[in-house]
Amino acid sequence: GAGVSQSPSNKVTEKGKDVELRCDPISGHTALYWYRQSLGQGLEFLIYFQGNSAPDKSGLPSDRFSAERTGGSVSTLTIQRTQQEDSAVYLCASSLRPGTGINQPQHFGDGTRLSIL
Amino acid sequence: GDSVTQMEGPVTLSEEACLTINCTYTATGYPSLFWYVQYPGEGLQLLLKATKADDKGSNKGFEATYRKETTSFHLEKGSVQVSDSAVYFCALTPYGGTDKLIFGTGTRLQVFP
């Protein structure tokens, strides 16, 4: 399909383990966003990538969270030493280049449901 | 900082009833405003948007008007259907920013036959 693809769709892991979540954006989309959807906090922005620019990491909740985007396409969100409060649905979105005076809609993947035991 | 406030749910309606979901925002300058919808078991989808004051976004019978004077972007539909049952999120992207979305808490709509 041509949509944003995320994997895995579900992940259950033990507290203290590291996890990696993957996002494949829509081909040709230069902007990529990670969000988190949790019961207590609603939908929160985590991090944003645009081309080769430095990412906007202002939404990452702690230094246990990191993300990278290789080759301007696939992105991986890594959570180290997971805690129970990290349990949430992690959503990835992509869009054409923003900030050009034309607001580009973000297209969301189905998310990864992360459960920390 | 910028924020979005939307009415608490759930909103429960009979089919063909009128719908209004209130949304107000706090932001500097001229943010862009959005409504996203999440149907059961599906991902977030853009429903409609408005990028400047007095713009009206519309889609699938839903409408919302960007009201700068009241900092509001209320979602309306004249006649809801069972298939409209979903969670609706009001959101904004800050003016001159990276287009990161700031969401409201979401409002669950349940429509019964």
Side-chain angles (χ1 to χ4, degrees):
Chain A
V4 176
S5 177
Q6 292 188 245
S7 61
S9 54
N10 284 283
K11 177 72 176 178
V12 180
T13 192
E14 294 178 347
K15 176 181 171 182
K17 300 287 189 183
D18 298 351
V19 295
E20 284 189 354
L21 313 179
R22 177 187 168 101
C23 173
D24 280 280
I26 292 172
S27 177
H29 281 190
T30 58
L32 187 147
Y33 306 78
W34 284 98
Y35 295 88
R36 179 169 71 173
Q37 186 174 21
S38 58
L39 281 176
Q41 302 296 325
L43 267 161
E44 307 170 276
F45 164 77
L46 296 177
I47 188 169
Y48 156 74
F49 296 91
Q50 167 55 42
N52 295 321
S53 302
D56 175 356
K57 304 179 182 181
S58 60
L60 293 179
S62 78
D63 59 7
R64 297 186 295 105
F65 287 72
S66 63
E68 62 179 21
R69 189 179 185 191
T70 54
S73 181
V74 171
S75 177
T76 302
L77 177 69
T78 301
I79 309 173
Q80 296 179 309
R81 304 181 303 281
T82 51
Q83 304 293 313
Q84 287 188 328
E85 63 262 27
D86 299 334
S87 296
V89 177
Y90 289 81
L91 297 171
C92 178
S94 71
S95 73
L96 294 170
R97 181 184 173 85
T100 57
I102 301 173
N103 192 279
Q104 302 290 355
Q106 294 180 30
H107 300 263
F108 283 81
D110 289 340
T112 295
R113 182 175 297 278
L114 177 63
S115 301
I116 309 300
L117 302 179
Chain B
D2 295 356
S3 65
V4 175
T5 302
Q6 63 181 106
M7 65 189 288
E8 296 278 337
V11 174
T12 303
L13 294 173
S14 298
E15 206 165 23
E16 300 184 2
C18 294
L19 169 71
T20 300
I21 300 178
N22 290 333
C23 172
T24 57
Y25 68 89
T26 300
T28 54
Y30 298 89
S32 293
L33 303 175
F34 305 84
W35 278 98
Y36 278 82
V37 59
Q38 190 170 34
Y39 296 104
E42 298 185 17
L44 270 173
Q45 302 174 27
L46 177 65
L47 180 60
L48 54 84
K49 69 175 184 178
T51 57
K52 61 183 188 294
D54 300 325
D55 266 4
K56 178 184 284 188
S58 61
N59 187 25
K60 299 182 180 181
F62 290 89
E63 293 183 339
T65 301
Y66 189 143
R67 301 287 188 198
K68 182 71 172 173
E69 64 277 12
T70 54
T71 62
S72 65
F73 193 55
H74 305 322
L75 182 68
E76 298 176 325
K77 187 173 186 182
S79 176
V80 294
Q81 306 300 312
V82 173
S83 58
D84 294 327
S85 298
V87 181
Y88 293 82
F89 293 90
C90 186
L92 66 81
T93 55
Y95 179 71
T98 58
D99 285 3
K100 64 185 181 187
L101 285 160
I102 296 172
F103 287 94
T105 52
T107 302
R108 181 175 299 279
L109 171 65
Q110 298 175 317
V111 181
F112 293 95

